[in-house]
Amino acid sequence: MKSAIGLDTKIGLIGLGLMGHPMGMNILKAGFPLTVWNRTASRARELVAAGATLAASPRELAANSDFLISIVSDPPALEEVLWGENGAIQSLRRDSIYMDSSTISPELARKIAAACAERGVRFLDGPVTGGDWGAKKGELIFMVGGDAAILADAEPVLRVLGKKWFHLGPNGAGQTIKLAMNLILALQVDSLAEALALVTAAGLEGEKLVEVLKSSMARSGVLDVKAPNLLKGEYKPSFPLRLMHKDMRLALELANQVKVELPATAAAYRAYSRVKDEAKEDLDYSAVMKFWKK
């Protein structure tokens, strides 16, 4: 039987990376009982010290959760969490809510929705944007696909984690919008890197270009957040290159499915691919600048 979400609602969280860990902290700070699972269990130490319970497997976590959230690196990781040995899907509670906030394909989101429907589980695809700083502040933005009534029921939890959420359509819609948005972010940073390469090769300081851009129609949040990375050559990951590369690939695969050409994305993907293939450490996606620095 469905019940309203309150502070006695048991929340489960799978995935404790750059985004999941601070999301877990905000859930605990709000007073919800929290159970967590991560492939590398050591990442749960701080959350366990703050009051979370560590589950032995995704299956165990799902069996003890009224509201489950997953946020993992890529589609294979999510499929393993759900359908692998000791996966969560079989033990999800009837009438519970499951929201996946990973960035995956719309097709996989619909596959999960169908598996949840068979078990009487209410599913939302709810990928996020806002970076690790937004996760820490509880100011994420959710792009949600699924039933509007389920989203309404989920709002007490979303209010803890985010500042805004959009209901975008049926299951898969959240992922479609997220891939399109990340495509734009990737192209913006790639084009900024290209423009900086042109300016500096012509003998001018890159800071001069950024100064003008900030007062023009080209001004954007990406410029504020990522331009310092490119100018300083410092690429500590707040949005890892490996994940942006994965999201661009997913966008190109979706484009192929719906028969839309994305020539600019395909070209940028080649630049990101070269930098990723040559990287020896985990870098932010703004490290695409290395394509021109080399």
Side-chain angles (χ1 to χ4, degrees):
M1 183 175 178
K2 300 174 187 177
S3 57
I5 290 176
L7 289 180
D8 59 344
T9 299
K10 296 177 181 178
I11 298 181
L13 176 62
I14 294 174
L16 305 176
L18 280 173
M19 306 294 283
H21 186 278
M23 289 168 72
M25 280 297 183
N26 286 328
I27 290 167
L28 286 172
K29 288 174 185 175
F32 289 103
L34 176 67
T35 302
V36 298
W37 183 86
N38 193 74
R39 184 169 52 188
T40 305
S42 60
R43 290 191 177 180
R45 286 174 186 160
E46 190 176 350
L47 286 163
V48 170
T53 300
L54 178 62
S57 67
R59 181 186 292 266
E60 178 186 299
L61 182 145
N64 292 288
S65 299
D66 303 311
F67 192 123
L68 173 63
I69 303 168
S70 57
I71 181 161
V72 298
S73 58
D74 54 30
L78 183 59
E79 291 192 85
E80 178 62 25
V81 160
L82 294 177
W83 287 286
E85 186 178 2
N86 291 315
I89 205 79
Q90 294 293 340
S91 60
L92 285 167
R93 293 180 176 182
R94 179 169 290 276
D95 290 328
S96 66
I97 293 176
Y98 169 35
M99 180 176 70
D100 176 55
S101 291
S102 318
T103 302
I104 58 171
S105 67
E107 184 179 24
L108 179 53
R110 289 188 286 268
K111 176 183 175 182
I112 297 169
C116 286
E118 289 176 1
R119 293 161 178 80
V121 175
R122 299 178 286 161
F123 175 70
L124 299 170
D125 52 290
V128 296
T129 188
D132 59 337
W133 62 90
K136 290 171 184 174
K137 293 179 179 180
E139 295 180 354
L140 293 171
I141 295 171
F142 288 82
M143 290 153 275
V144 183
D147 190 282
I150 301 173
L151 175 57
D153 288 344
E155 286 184 353
V157 175
L158 295 185
R159 277 196 288 271
V160 170
L161 302 173
K163 64 180 180 180
K164 199 161 188 175
W165 43 93
F166 296 89
H167 181 238
L168 300 168
N171 287 121
Q175 295 296 346
T176 300
I177 296 296
K178 176 65 187 294
L179 292 178
M181 188 196 70
N182 278 7
L183 178 157
I184 292 170
L185 297 180
L187 288 172
Q188 283 183 309
V189 170
D190 180 76
S191 62
L192 176 59
E194 198 166 312
L196 285 170
L198 179 64
V199 165
T200 55
L204 300 175
E205 296 178 353
E207 287 82 358
K208 299 297 184 183
L209 171 63
V210 172
E211 182 181 9
V212 173
L213 290 174
K214 286 185 174 182
S215 296
S216 75
M217 284 183 66
R219 179 177 178 83
S220 70
V222 165
L223 191 66
D224 294 334
V225 175
K226 298 302 182 183
N229 297 23
L230 276 65
L231 293 171
K232 296 175 185 177
E234 297 175 357
Y235 308 113
K236 181 181 177 181
S238 64
F239 187 166
L241 170 65
R242 57 186 166 81
L243 296 184
M244 180 60 90
H245 183 264
K246 175 262 301 183
D247 294 349
M248 295 178 78
R249 175 178 56 78
L250 290 173
L252 287 166
E253 289 173 357
L254 177 60
N256 186 54
Q257 291 167 15
V258 299
K259 296 180 171 52
V260 172
E261 289 191 37
L262 303 178
T265 303
Y269 183 67
R270 290 193 290 272
Y272 279 98
S273 294
R274 185 186 298 183
V275 175
K276 175 184 172 293
D277 291 345
E278 294 176 356
K280 294 180 173 60
E281 57 188 315
D282 203 20
L283 300 169
D284 189 75
Y285 79 97
S286 54
V288 71
M289 186 75 215
K290 286 177 173 283
F291 180 90
W292 289 274
K293 287 287 189 181
K294 190 172 178 181

